[in-house]
Amino acid sequence: MNVTFLQDLLSRITDRTRRGSSTPSGDRQHTPSKPSLAQLTAACATLMQSGGEASRILVAQQALDHYAGLDAAERRTFFTLLAERYAADPGAVHAAYADYRKHENNASLQRLFTACEPRRQDLLRRLNLCPGGTHELVKMRADLLDMLKEAPELAPLDADFAHLFASWFNRGFLMLESIDWNTRAAVLEKIIHYEAVHEIQDWSDLRRRLDPEDRRCYAFFHPAIGDEPLIFVEVALCRGIPDNIQTLLAGGDEVAPRYADTAVFYSISNCQRGLKGISFGNFLIKQVVQELKRELPNLTQFVTLSPVPGFAAWLAQQRETEHYRLSAPAANALKTAEWQQDTPARQALEPEIRALAARYLLEAKHTSGLPLDPVARFHLGNGASLHRLNWPGDTSSKGVRQAHALMVNYLYELDRIEQNHEAFSREGSVICASDVRRQASRADALRYTSVDA
Amino acid sequence: MNVTFLQDLLSRITDRTRRGSSTPSGDRQHTPSKPSLAQLTAACATLMQSGGEASRILVAQQALDHYAGLDAAERRTFFTLLAERYAADPGAVHAAYADYRKHENNASLQRLFTACEPRRQDLLRRLNLCPGGTHELVKMRADLLDMLKEAPELAPLDADFAHLFASWFNRGFLMLESIDWNTRAAVLEKIIHYEAVHEIQDWSDLRRRLDPEDRRCYAFFHPAIGDEPLIFVEVALCRGIPDNIQTLLAGGDEVAPRYADTAVFYSISNCQRGLKGISFGNFLIKQVVQELKRELPNLTQFVTLSPVPGFAAWLAQQRETEHYRLSAPAANALKTAEWQQDTPARQALEPEIRALAARYLLEAKHTSGLPLDPVARFHLGNGASLHRLNWPGDTSSKGVRQAHALMVNYLYELDRIEQNHEAFSREGSVICASDVRRQASRADALRYTSVDA
Amino acid sequence: MNVTFLQDLLSRITDRTRRGSSTPSGDRQHTPSKPSLAQLTAACATLMQSGGEASRILVAQQALDHYAGLDAAERRTFFTLLAERYAADPGAVHAAYADYRKHENNASLQRLFTACEPRRQDLLRRLNLCPGGTHELVKMRADLLDMLKEAPELAPLDADFAHLFASWFNRGFLMLESIDWNTRAAVLEKIIHYEAVHEIQDWSDLRRRLDPEDRRCYAFFHPAIGDEPLIFVEVALCRGIPDNIQTLLAGGDEVAPRYADTAVFYSISNCQRGLKGISFGNFLIKQVVQELKRELPNLTQFVTLSPVPGFAAWLAQQRETEHYRLSAPAANALKTAEWQQDTPARQALEPEIRALAARYLLEAKHTSGLPLDPVARFHLGNGASLHRLNWPGDTSSKGVRQAHALMVNYLYELDRIEQNHEAFSREGSVICASDVRRQASRADALRYTSVDA
Amino acid sequence: MNVTFLQDLLSRITDRTRRGSSTPSGDRQHTPSKPSLAQLTAACATLMQSGGEASRILVAQQALDHYAGLDAAERRTFFTLLAERYAADPGAVHAAYADYRKHENNASLQRLFTACEPRRQDLLRRLNLCPGGTHELVKMRADLLDMLKEAPELAPLDADFAHLFASWFNRGFLMLESIDWNTRAAVLEKIIHYEAVHEIQDWSDLRRRLDPEDRRCYAFFHPAIGDEPLIFVEVALCRGIPDNIQTLLAGGDEVAPRYADTAVFYSISNCQRGLKGISFGNFLIKQVVQELKRELPNLTQFVTLSPVPGFAAWLAQQRETEHYRLSAPAANALKTAEWQQDTPARQALEPEIRALAARYLLEAKHTSGLPLDPVARFHLGNGASLHRLNWPGDTSSKGVRQAHALMVNYLYELDRIEQNHEAFSREGSVICASDVRRQASRADALRYTSVDA
């Protein structure tokens, strides 16, 4: 490696860091052209050599630059190469096992563990040496996840990423930051980009969500990936528990924070696809509850206003497979797009939607034994309880399509989180308000069997 | 776990974080009294249970609090327990190996790797969930290192710590900070505490090292362990390469930074014993060179003013084992404590000290084939060259005792670091200035054999 | 004043400060309704009382809230009241003068000065006690300036504002900040709002101006008025001196900063109308030149790309009053809107536009003896020289309307600023490049007289 | 002014600012040697010229550097020169007055005011242009204050400083900062230096005052004078109102902040002698009360633990002038240095000390009609009430010397501050606890007259 290149590269890194920008466009022209799979492969080989410590940061940088230049097919080839050539050495594994079998103690186990560790993990740790490397690796895993369906043989490689990320993104390393209109624009544009639940249209819309006194937003950041949020939650401070997301998003009728009694978590978005399976939401909500209680002792209720993304699909399937049905008026109402404007249609629909939704949330189960609805699974798993059904709660086209406009509130009660969580995770019990349970019982009348009887 | 305790604990954590203090003295009284090994053991067991995610942060906090209350004997018992009860399940290892033997592919390797991972590693990751946990674990490993000599069977446990720390303290996660008189006192008192090469007497002494325009100090920090530096280097800006540490420490004759041509690294201190073997110094020096070059383009030389800690011991041994000797006048001079004030004595000593020190640095080797002197090993391993011997360079009692007052300069030339490092790590070549080599050649005359001949 | 109100008010202030927002909307409802001129007048009277120091912050806050609730007519009434009732006491002035006449020393002068100080100044200082007061007073003066034409009798009141503001906004109190894509959104939206030279369309346009590596933006802030910039300058880093603002604004062909040789100041905007006459631009440009030189020693030229806002009007007047004329082809070309697309038209226009523009810039004078063009007056007054005419340099409708698409570069040479400034301010000499002078001389041929001759 | 000097100077300024240090020692050698009164005088003259705006920052910097090089005699000469040569122009004053007399309106008053303004004020504003100028001017006034007794003719010059400083240090410009162990050392060393009430011995002592959870410290800063605090207050959080300063300073028995009910202001120090008469303490205490109430709603009492600096001197004078006397046993007790260790002596002294101290605080008046004791004047003037006498409250040698070991608590009740202040400032009423009043009444028995009777 020659020296001019070294200096050039380091100053590029420095420049990039200084600007805080993830797209160092202008300078690209000065990097060696034609990054290619061959160069990446060579860089990885160099990186694994025992000597050469001094230059590892630079080689890691090069390797990641080369990777960024690959197309999808090349990336798949690269992953296959990692899977094939960067596994463990079978000879070493067999020898270490023979030794372990003989002695079976901590020292021999340690050697066996070391022998089994796929060399990929060490490669990934070395790629992580350069500034910005962590985020590049997170994006690399996102690429890999996209291919897993077609290339299930890459799953062990994904397990290596997951193993490392679980260490790197340990809760102890995350930083909670409050996001508001004084946050730097480079972060705010990412909030706009990553909002996954209720889309943010533009900067004016963003301002409406962040700037009013009765709104809050919190995100987890990781020190090594700078401006990129990992997950964020949007909060509204209210008097009483809100039942409609459009009203809440419209805002306008601001509440002075010290007169609010309820904090509503109305949107939680994961930002990094490459961190799939490394869960933060649980910690985020609980830490935000703590922060808010400290700042505003007047807050007495912490709830969500949540979508029910699987309800419409479940209901369709129930009707198709003749488990549950809708009464004729309700079925007719649902057929028209205009039931929202049509009072009799709404009146026909409401009790049946509520009853079946309650039934769905309480009883429809995943193969794991946990609730079928992913949002329910998340909040109930955190120790929240199912507090209230709101209908119509989300009349956006997405809300109508996913859940016939239903929304629900999950309630976080700090002094019940533990026992709720225990009950849920041990026995699968869904803790819910008695009113929800009552509505669920009314679904019996909508069983096909009950009709037949 | 009851709720009041939960809230109490969380507010304690919050308070502690807010104050940035690692010793939350006043509040201790409110934590449950009598932390004990039994409670720690129980907390670890709870932490490993599959359910109960919601409470893990708290249990981790409890466990670390209990650990902090143990005495040395109890800690050893705890480590032994970790070694014995938190290894892998042998049955699972054997089964996974049988499967691997049959299929020998990435998936079976992945399962074997997972089966071999000592459960301790997962336990340590879970202990790391709570705020401040990382630093507690680093201190825990320091305790363990203290016991390794007497309890070598704990070495695999140490390997688990080292494995995790290598991930957690990856270069990509470290933050370089400039330390000066505007740094917060909570950090500065740690600089005083951790300075290991040339002791800092008090705050006035510290100010002399940080505040003058021609002094710099840089440290690596890790985001999860807050105010605790990992390693720091003290730098003086000079005209020309200094040859005496007392003169340099005394200061007084400040150079305006933009008129300096040389940056001198005169003290590098590792701060966390528990991070032994996780090396940062290499990266630190190189990043500081980059920082300084960017700020002060007038700097053209980057050198150290370094001790030679093994020289006096090596020389004594050479004389005892009759490999090298000193001439009679030199030997006599060395016997008197006052050779520093005695010009003839100094003149008798100088050529022989220089010759033998050059020989020591160039040829005395460790069993690894690398230089015997640890400081030489560090800088030469980083790609620096041995530039100059300075005598007398350190007339402090420590300097006289360790190295008969010798100091050396190692030279960091950015455009030679790579090749120096390669030559050193592949062939063990010590790159040095021709003058040093010349001095070394004069040691031939001081061989016993040469005398005998 | 009752206590609940006091606490309410203080917590409002605290909330407002915390949110960093200037529009504390939600809470307004809790302030006493019906602010009125009468209440404002009463608050001012209270504020001037000798006792009651403890409550002054609150009364000042009230007074400014009341002022904010006034309509334009009421504001004029209020200003008139200030002019009439908050002047000095004539009796005290006469007495102090009599004493001064007798003794004519510093002590008697001091007393006379104190007697002459309009009580308004003290009132304004007391209004400034409350958080946010400074910005409210700056806006109050903007209101006053709007009325001065119709109400010239209020000019002495304006002089009081100007007197205080010259102290409060002393250069020593201003803070230079670099504005980029990492700046908080609350400031960036103000940059969009205040850009007065080349309008910023939206956040994407703003990002194009701030985020690329070859763009910079700097603003002066005053510590007491928070997020509100006083003045800002936009800078492009280029190779060579640019001659066209549309090309420059489009960007796209980024230059790596360390390869740039020229910094171009292409837009300077004053943000606070109420600070009219308190000049910062001079200091801003010079400090930015220093900052850039320090960061990028490769920069060798500092120029502007500036509009010539008075040229078209001057030329029209010259033609009307038969001083200067255009040749027939040029005059015809100018009549068509499409001369930009019409090569022969452009060729006919170019030499005459250049000649007359050079003449305008060099010789057209204000009654003060300084250049008629306000932008020329500003930069030449700062010690810059007139470096080059660019045509067509600004083909926006504003550029065509104001200056027939002409732009110019003013050159800031640090080692000539002093003497340029001296020559300009003492003798009115316009320092310019010889090429510009040559072009000006060609305008002789376009004099009416020369034609007649 | 030549250019190299200009660049040199500006880079010096930049360096100095960067290092945050007020003593740019190393570089001094490069400034022109022999600063002198003549050069200062010349620089002031240059600064007042109408042209030359561009170079004013530099000339101001030079002038202040020259001033810093003057000895005391030269400084007095300089002040005299300011007084004599930088007054107003008498001709202009007479003319403006004649005009005012004729028209007597706002415009003519404005002109008269302008004519009367001593040119010194403008000079001081121009000296304030350079970075760091504000603090230099504050120190300049401190020099002037030292001379006023001997040179009363300089009082009008002091009035000019005071007039400007009242504008520059307006409450609206001050920033409240919390000082703790995370504050930068450059500020902390100033806290050690400026503590005027209970001396801070060294950094360990400082840490004891700042780092424990139950201690707080707050200071006002001005943005233009950086690290220099203007005033600070030290606070202890307690259960109940403390009665002894030695116990409080010793600390040790920390209270968790959320269990404290009382905040004690036990030391308030003004830092800048040059800001005499510009009062901040009033605002500081009230803002700190607000901050603490917001952070710790559990606090219900805000008190001081204050010295009574004038008591011993007053008592001595009372006894000498035969107004009040001590009983024989008390008088004897006071004569021995050991009354503190001598129980009967203490018992003899206590009732008489308390009675006379209460009388002193309630009735001894300054010529202004306000309390004679300066600390009492300050807190009562802020609207606090005299809450309790503590004896012995301060057994340090200073405490015994000043006040025979007496300390008092003043109580700040937010909902009574206003009316207390009004009563105090209008009628001179000292609001005090009934117990204090009762003790005062017992002093009647110690009147000489009562004895004689």
Side-chain angles (χ1 to χ4, degrees), chain C residues 52-54, chain D residues 268 282 285-286 304 306 308 357-365 369-388 408-412 416-426 428-433 436-437:
Chain C
E53 288 203 7
Chain D
I268 303 177
N282 177 0
I285 290 182
K286 281 165 203 167
T304 73
S306 299
V308 192
R359 178 64 46 102
Y360 164 67
L361 289 163
L362 292 181
E363 291 175 20
K365 302 290 178 184
L370 298 176
L372 188 59
D373 192 80
V375 174
R377 212 153 61 222
F378 173 72
H379 291 299
L380 297 169
N382 290 343
S385 63
L386 176 55
H387 184 66
R388 196 173 73 187
V408 304
N409 304 118
Y410 298 100
L411 178 66
Y412 281 81
R416 289 169 164 274
I417 278 181
E418 283 308 301
Q419 66 204 62
N420 288 354
H421 168 79
E422 295 296 318
F424 179 79
S425 61
R426 298 212 171 141
S429 318
V430 172
I431 311 299
C432 75
V436 176
R437 196 164 297 283

Side-chain angles (χ1 to χ4, degrees), chain B residues 23-278:
Chain B
T23 50
S25 43
D27 252 0
R28 279 282 156 164
Q29 65 212 48
H30 305 293
T31 60
S33 59
K34 301 196 205 146
S36 76
L37 188 53
Q39 284 176 295
L40 169 55
T41 312
C44 289
T46 305
L47 213 47
M48 295 299 282
Q49 282 164 17
S50 63
E53 287 202 10
S55 59
R56 276 189 197 159
I57 294 179
L58 299 172
V59 180
Q61 179 69 50
Q62 276 185 297
L64 293 173
D65 281 357
H66 291 319
Y67 177 82
L70 300 185
D71 63 26
E74 290 170 319
R75 288 176 184 198
R76 179 151 170 192
T77 308
F78 174 63
F79 291 139
T80 303
L81 180 146
L82 286 186
E84 288 170 2
R85 291 203 222 149
Y86 286 85
D89 169 16
V93 174
H94 295 309
Y97 177 75
D99 177 54
Y100 174 70
R101 178 157 205 120
K102 214 182 318 173
H103 301 101
E104 208 165 281
N105 59 21
N106 271 311
S108 61
L109 175 65
Q110 177 62 40
R111 286 188 295 269
L112 177 56
F113 176 63
T114 303
C116 292
E117 188 186 77
R119 291 170 61 232
R120 289 182 290 272
Q121 294 201 12
D122 205 28
L123 177 63
L124 296 177
R125 278 192 292 265
R126 289 171 189 223
L127 286 169
N128 193 34
L129 287 173
C130 73
T134 311
H135 194 217
E136 297 305 313
L137 291 171
V138 168
K139 290 189 287 183
M140 193 185 285
R141 187 187 173 214
D143 295 341
L144 175 60
L145 287 168
D146 289 345
M147 295 176 194
L148 277 191
K149 242 189 195 153
E150 291 176 21
E153 75 280 6
L154 294 176
L157 176 54
D158 183 57
D160 293 321
F161 276 102
H163 181 81
L164 283 173
F165 289 177
S167 260
W168 293 352
F169 291 90
N170 191 294
R171 167 65 192 86
F173 299 152
L174 305 185
M175 300 177 305
L176 183 72
E177 267 188 45
S178 174
I179 304 289
D180 59 32
W181 197 237
N182 278 311
T183 298
R184 53 206 184 285
V187 168
L188 293 184
E189 70 172 354
K190 286 181 179 125
I191 297 293
I192 295 178
H193 176 71
Y194 287 125
E195 160 65 73
V197 186
H198 305 291
E199 197 191 350
I200 299 174
Q201 306 298 327
D202 55 21
W203 286 82
S204 306
D205 194 10
L206 177 70
R207 188 180 172 161
R208 266 192 303 280
R209 302 225 191 159
L210 299 181
D211 202 33
E213 279 198 300
D214 60 356
R215 300 296 155 112
R216 295 286 189 281
C217 179
Y218 297 89
F220 269 146
F221 289 86
H222 187 280
I225 62 170
D227 285 346
E228 282 287 334
L230 305 188
I231 188 173
F232 62 90
V233 60
E234 295 165 64
V235 185
L237 306 177
C238 304
R239 294 189 63 80
I241 297 178
D243 58 7
N244 185 288
I245 188 69
Q246 276 75 34
T247 311
L248 189 145
L249 288 178
D253 204 24
E254 259 180 70
V255 175
R258 68 185 183 289
Y259 297 130
D261 57 13
T262 304
V264 185
F265 303 95
Y266 68 91
S267 181
I268 304 179
S269 300
N270 277 295
C271 308
Q272 308 294 331
R273 273 189 320 119
L275 292 177
K276 194 185 158 190
I278 318 294

Side-chain angles (χ1 to χ4, degrees), chain C residues 86-88 115-122 160, chain D residues 106 109-110 113:
Chain C
Y86 285 85
C116 292
E117 189 186 75
R119 291 171 62 232
R120 289 182 291 271
Q121 294 202 13
D122 205 26
D160 293 320
Chain D
N106 271 312
L109 175 66
Q110 177 63 40
F113 176 64

